[in-house]
Amino acid sequence: MTAAHTETVSFGHAYGGKVKVAPEGAQAFGPRDEYVATFPSLREARKALFDLHKASEVGQQHA
């Protein structure tokens, strides 16, 4: 069993959020520390934060 830990996720110089990894799953928290969801793996949690990051970039370009 893997010990629980927290990983900071960034995309270049942009802060993407945090992932709290525990035996029950990987909890993703966005850049404002808001809970996003619990994912079965760290990889899926990172992907979700990346998708949020990309969507926010697109939103800023159209504002």
Side-chain angles (χ1 to χ4, degrees), residues 3 9 11 14 18 21 23 29-30 32-33 40 43-45 52 61:
V9 179
F11 308 106
K18 289 185 260 183
V21 182
F29 294 85
R32 294 183 189 99
D33 290 331
R43 182 178 182 184
E44 290 173 300
L52 285 173
Q61 291 173 357

Side-chain angles (χ1 to χ4, degrees), residues 7-11 16-19 27-31 34 36 39 43-56:
E7 178 176 304
T8 299
V9 179
S10 61
F11 308 106
K18 289 185 260 183
V19 178
Q27 296 178 330
F29 294 85
E34 72 279 9
V36 175
F39 298 89
R43 182 178 182 184
E44 290 173 300
R46 286 180 184 152
K47 170 88 168 74
L49 290 176
F50 177 76
D51 291 344
L52 285 173
H53 172 71
K54 294 307 282 182
S56 73

